[in-house]
Amino acid sequence: MQNQNIKQKWVLSVIVTLVMVVCIQNTAIAAAKKIYWSEWGFISRANLDGSNVEDVIKGLDYAQDISLDFQNNTIFWIEADIAKYKDVVVGYNKIMRANSDGTKIEEIFGGYHLPPEGGSAGKDCIGDVCRGWIHPEGGDSVEIDPELLFLPRCIALDNQKNHIYWVDVAHRKYKRSNLDGTDVEDVKDMKNTSTWDMKLDLKQGKLYWVVLSIRQILRMNLDGSDVEVILDDWHNRILSIGLDVDARKIYWTGSSSIHRASFNGAHIKTVITGLKEPNHLVVDEKTRKMYWSARDGRDRHKIQQANLNGSNVRDVVTGLHSINGLALDSEGIYAVDPAGKLTTI
């Protein structure tokens, strides 16, 4: 009888422990799901319902596109700055990263481009020999190492292979590297410099992107091979895209609407209309919702949310100065504890 009581107590303790672990995990994850966005000098976040708005990183120059590294609990973003090169004031662009709590801010890549008052920059090549230059408006040209020219426009992370992908308009290349900036390699030459958004389908090993000027959505393998046009000559502008990988659907923002199609470009459907300049679209496949930025009055912006079928459109965060990028932590990884780890028994 005594052995039976001991066995019963042991079984009960195991069950209680497992229930507590499951409850703690579910509670922590549910409470920690976040949406991140970049503004002029900030990277901020809030719960997916818009509550608990907080600044994660302050004092930035001009934060742009952002992406989350779930494995290493870090944030990547593009930032524009001002610097001097040979006593000429020029623009300085960089890809940055930091811990999710805003500490350990560091530059991954950086380089020069257009002067803040206007002008031009580029490179000339004869054979394998190239010269770079920056020409300020109304000033003298400054010769520069062409490898120091840099103009990133959008970034995307491959958390499985620890790669970062970006568009370098200055060199007209799609590029990738390790997350620490090592082993930089060209993925594909860029035929058109108006690439405006980029998303990865890691299940199928595909990179999708938007070409704003010719209103196209394209995709290719992550190594740059097998380029396909998904949507061609859309009737209005395309600024951003979102992927529902499991359902094999692609979503995109028009001038005042959001649309979707199959991954092969078929079955086009308008899911939401009447929006004010929607942009920075992201899809949460787990909750079957999508988020995007939109104008909120004359000089303000907001983040909105809807179901993937277009129903239940609602404001999430309002009254923002500007929104330059959105990213979702739909797994609740970032706010569990300072080390970014959820321990189990």
Side-chain angles (χ1 to χ4, degrees):
M1 179 66 70
Q2 184 176 3
N3 290 338
Q4 184 176 359
N5 289 338
I6 294 174
K7 184 177 181 180
Q8 289 175 343
K9 289 180 180 180
W10 180 83
V11 172
L12 180 61
S13 67
V14 170
I15 293 173
V16 171
T17 301
L18 290 174
V19 170
M20 290 178 63
V21 168
V22 170
C23 291
I24 291 171
Q25 285 181 329
N26 289 341
T27 301
I29 292 175
K33 293 179 180 180
K34 299 285 184 179
I35 185 166
Y36 286 71
W37 67 92
S38 56
E39 296 188 65
W40 286 96
F42 304 88
I43 292 178
S44 307
R45 71 182 179 187
N47 295 335
L48 294 185
D49 62 0
S51 62
N52 194 28
V53 176
E54 57 182 337
D55 294 330
V56 179
I57 303 176
K58 299 180 181 180
L60 303 178
D61 291 288
Y62 178 32
Q64 300 175 44
D65 197 19
I66 62 173
S67 191
L68 304 179
D69 175 8
F70 298 109
Q71 290 185 347
N72 300 295
N73 200 29
T74 53
I75 307 170
F76 283 74
W77 71 94
I78 297 173
E79 189 173 351
D81 199 355
I82 301 297
K84 273 192 173 183
Y85 184 81
K86 296 182 179 179
D87 296 325
V88 176
V89 178
V90 294
Y92 187 79
N93 304 282
K94 48 195 175 182
I95 296 178
M96 307 287 291
R97 74 174 174 186
N99 293 333
S100 62
D101 61 0
T103 60
K104 198 180 178 182
I105 297 175
E106 58 182 332
E107 177 184 312
I108 303 301
F109 303 103
Y112 303 94
H113 200 58
L114 297 178
E117 69 276 8
S120 57
K123 66 176 183 177
D124 297 315
C125 296
I126 300 177
D128 295 330
V129 179
C130 295
R131 295 174 60 247
W133 48 266
I134 295 176
H135 183 72
E137 187 72 31
D140 297 329
S141 295
V142 178
E143 188 170 350
I144 188 172
D145 181 347
E147 293 304 313
L148 295 180
L149 292 170
F150 189 49
L151 182 56
R153 181 160 290 153
C154 45
I155 56 175
L157 298 183
D158 180 350
N159 300 109
Q160 297 176 0
K161 296 183 178 179
N162 290 322
H163 283 156
I164 179 171
Y165 288 78
W166 73 96
V167 175
D168 186 356
V169 179
H171 293 95
R172 303 175 70 94
K173 301 280 188 182
Y174 296 90
K175 294 191 172 187
R176 73 179 174 194
S177 73
N178 297 329
L179 295 180
D180 60 1
T182 59
D183 295 335
V184 179
E185 57 181 326
D186 296 340
V187 174
K188 188 74 176 176
D189 290 337
M190 184 191 306
K191 294 182 178 180
N192 192 302
T193 59
S194 64
T195 296
W196 218 254
D197 192 16
M198 183 168 61
K199 294 291 194 310
L200 301 183
D201 171 6
L202 298 181
K203 288 187 177 180
Q204 301 296 323
K206 297 287 185 178
L207 184 154
Y208 289 74
W209 74 97
V210 173
V211 179
L212 178 64
S213 61
I214 54 178
R215 297 170 295 182
Q216 281 187 336
I217 299 175
L218 303 95
R219 72 179 173 194
M220 62 183 172
N221 295 330
L222 294 181
D223 62 3
S225 63
D226 195 19
V227 176
E228 304 171 83
V229 177
I230 304 302
L231 190 71
D232 190 18
D233 196 22
W234 182 243
H235 59 264
N236 58 29
R237 69 177 183 176
I238 307 172
L239 282 180
S240 63
I241 53 176
L243 302 181
D244 182 358
V245 174
D246 290 337
R248 299 187 63 78
K249 300 288 186 182
I250 184 168
Y251 292 74
W252 67 93
T253 60
S255 299
S256 59
S257 52
I258 295 177
H259 313 268
R260 78 169 178 224
S262 301
F263 270 4
N264 61 3
H267 307 106
I268 296 175
K269 181 179 180 180
T270 300
V271 293
I272 303 176
T273 60
L275 303 176
K276 295 183 178 178
E277 300 181 22
N279 197 1
H280 307 111
L281 183 65
V282 290
V283 169
D284 186 350
E285 297 180 72
K286 294 184 178 298
T287 63
R288 310 305 298 163
K289 295 184 184 298
M290 54 184 163
Y291 298 79
W292 66 91
S293 68
R295 281 204 170 271
D296 186 17
R298 183 175 180 180
D299 58 352
R300 298 291 186 185
H301 289 78
K302 61 185 176 181
I303 299 171
Q304 294 186 289
Q305 173 205 81
N307 297 325
L308 289 184
N309 62 7
S311 63
N312 195 27
V313 177
R314 60 180 293 266
D315 294 345
V316 176
V317 183
T318 61
L320 301 175
H321 290 284
S322 65
I323 301 174
N324 303 320
L326 289 181
L328 280 180
D329 174 19
S330 58
E331 298 289 344
I333 293 174
Y334 279 74
V336 176
D337 63 36
K341 296 184 182 298
L342 182 62
T343 59
T344 58
I345 301 173

